[in-house]
Amino acid sequence: MNLTSLSFVIPFFNEKGSLPELIEQLYIAMRDPELQRLFDGSFSFEIILVDDGSTDGSAELARSMITDRPELSLISFQRNFGKTAALTAGFRAAQGSVVCTLDADLQDDPASIRPLVAKLFEGYDLVSGWKKDRKDPPGKTVPSRLFNVVTRLFTGIPIHDFNCGLKVYRREVTKRLELHGEMHRYIPVLAGWNGFRITELPVNHRPRKFGSTKFGTGRFFAGLFDFLAVLFITRYFRRPMHFFGMAGLVSFLSGFTISLYVTLDKLLNHKPVSNRPILFLGILLIILGAQLFSTGLLGEMLSTSAPGANQFTIRETYNLSEKQEEEVRSQ
Ligand code: UDP
Ligand code: MG
């Protein structure tokens, strides 16, 4: 039995302008008796703020807000490790039976929390917000729509908005997720791959009032490589040989066939080997095949023994329980 009903995990990177209002709005949302009724028994919540190496004084601000709010706690990173790492740290600390993530920039509306939790209790493990009416400039919304279509197509997870900051999870999901790189964009994919039941619900989205977006054009490449990584992880992570082995085999056999043909042509028809460009293709394919094959073998060895890589360094924490402290720092 969990003592905490609802854990908020809020990553922030230089969000001084919005933090006080966000906390204010969250506390108001938590006083909603209808939300509290959704949880059997007594209702309690915690808010875990994760400072992802802010340099604008938001960490100090967060710390000062903790003083008269026992529900608040703070994990502060040494430097900016990225939203994925911040979420991972928060997930480790979260003790609630339900975990809710939220962006710190006030774009996600705390009033959407109750419907999301209600949906979760209908029998889902993860309910993802859907910024149906997104309040962002076209420079963000257009690539994002493309990203969502491609991801939906390739992964078969039928939701519209993979990267919405507002999501609610059963604790089992957040404890199970292993996120790397900038994979927060693919949380629904990874959760779905683990067999968790996922759905989405339209949520209210608001324009950014303070500060600026933290994701520039660099995110396209980060997103692309993470996409390939996610595809690989969800399909071949535990069996890399199936991927590399097959490619290696095809390459090797094609190369072998070409070389055999060139050799037989020489032996039977006395055609010289020296002026046949295709010979190089044959050699190339054989070498490539052997390399792919050994990459697969190495991958197979790694995948059976890989420990989780150390993803972040913590500067300091405030108001975490001993248990939380231990879980956050376990790498
Ligand atoms: N964020 C973070 N670390 C980063 C970048 C962003 O913790 O390296 C936080 C940011 O402070 C915000 C959330 O992630 O709370 C979403 O970021 P942002 O609003 O900039 O993304 P956008 O809404 O523009 O996609
Ligand atoms: Mg935002």
Side-chain angles (χ1 to χ4, degrees):
M1 179 65 194
N2 274 319
L3 292 176
T4 313
S5 327
L6 187 53
S7 293
F8 288 98
V9 171
I10 306 179
F12 68 89
F13 175 47
N14 296 343
E15 305 284 5
K16 197 168 74 179
S18 44
L19 274 181
E21 211 173 309
L22 172 75
I23 299 303
E24 198 54 44
Q25 291 186 7
L26 267 183
Y27 272 81
I28 292 172
M30 289 308 100
R31 282 199 283 273
D32 176 1
E34 275 187 55
L35 171 81
Q36 301 188 0
R37 256 200 301 276
L38 289 172
F39 293 86
D40 290 335
S42 61
F43 174 80
S44 68
F45 67 97
E46 61 177 2
I47 301 175
I48 301 161
L49 296 169
V50 189
D51 159 38
D52 186 12
S54 296
T55 51
D56 68 343
S58 11
E60 291 71 19
L61 179 70
R63 217 186 310 156
S64 73
M65 287 190 298
I66 293 178
T67 337
D68 48 348
R69 293 182 185 84
E71 296 84 1
L72 268 186
S73 56
L74 172 69
I75 299 168
S76 221
F77 284 174
Q78 284 285 7
R79 64 161 171 85
N80 180 243
F81 281 93
K83 190 177 176 184
T84 297
L87 286 173
T88 301
F91 285 163
R92 289 199 191 147
Q95 301 296 317
S97 50
V98 174
V99 178
C100 176
T101 58
L102 206 68
D103 283 354
D105 57 3
L106 282 168
Q107 289 198 262
D108 300 327
D109 186 354
S112 306
I113 294 167
R114 177 163 51 85
L116 286 174
V117 173
K119 189 84 192 163
L120 189 80
F121 286 155
E122 279 177 22
Y124 293 98
D125 300 307
L126 164 57
V127 185
S128 188
W130 173 14
K131 305 180 291 274
K132 203 169 180 178
D133 180 17
R134 191 170 173 181
K135 303 287 191 312
D136 272 321
K140 280 196 89 74
T141 53
V142 171
S144 160
R145 198 158 294 164
L146 183 73
F147 155 81
N148 281 309
V149 168
V150 171
T151 308
R152 189 163 62 238
L153 209 71
F154 272 86
T155 62
I157 305 281
I159 69 174
H160 293 86
D161 187 2
F162 285 84
N163 192 17
C164 184
L166 180 54
K167 289 183 172 64
V168 299
Y169 312 73
R170 284 183 199 278
R171 185 186 139 89
E172 292 70 33
V173 182
T174 52
K175 290 291 170 202
R176 180 74 188 87
L177 285 177
E178 278 178 42
L179 307 172
H180 300 274
E182 292 192 15
M183 285 182 191
H184 60 268
R185 295 188 185 88
Y186 299 99
I187 286 177
V189 179
L190 297 168
W193 177 69
N194 275 293
F196 291 116
R197 290 155 296 175
I198 299 159
T199 190
E200 67 182 349
L201 203 68
V203 293
N204 189 22
H205 193 242
R206 310 182 285 196
R208 211 184 226 282
K209 216 158 75 177
F210 305 98
S212 57
T213 176
K214 309 299 180 299
F215 294 101
T217 39
R219 78 196 145 107
F220 295 128
F221 292 102
L224 175 69
F225 293 131
D226 281 331
F227 177 64
L228 295 176
V230 165
L231 273 188
F232 188 77
I233 284 176
T234 53
R235 292 182 188 192
Y236 296 107
F237 193 58
R238 295 286 163 211
R239 48 187 184 103
M241 200 53 193
H242 290 203
F243 179 81
F244 290 106
M246 182 49 76
L249 197 67
V250 169
S251 177
F252 186 90
L253 286 180
S254 319
F256 185 79
T257 312
I258 290 171
S259 306
L260 189 69
Y261 160 71
V262 174
T263 309
L264 290 179
D265 223 19
K266 156 92 179 158
L267 291 179
L268 304 177
N269 306 328
H270 305 290
K271 288 240 183 87
V273 170
S274 55
N275 63 350
R276 309 206 61 174
I278 202 173
L279 176 69
F280 290 101
L281 183 64
I283 296 170
L284 181 76
L285 288 175
I286 287 177
I287 295 176
L288 189 69
Q291 282 191 337
L292 284 169
F293 213 82
S294 45
T295 304
L297 274 179
L298 287 175
E300 202 73 30
M301 288 158 70
L302 280 175
S303 80
T304 46
S305 62
N310 205 344
Q311 289 183 67
F312 49 80
T313 318
I314 291 169
R315 185 192 302 259
E316 53 192 356
T317 63
Y318 289 88
N319 208 25
L320 287 186
S321 69
E322 220 167 90
K323 180 161 183 248
Q324 288 178 313
E325 194 75 41
E326 199 177 295
E327 290 183 12
V328 169
R329 290 183 190 272
S330 72
Q331 294 279 354

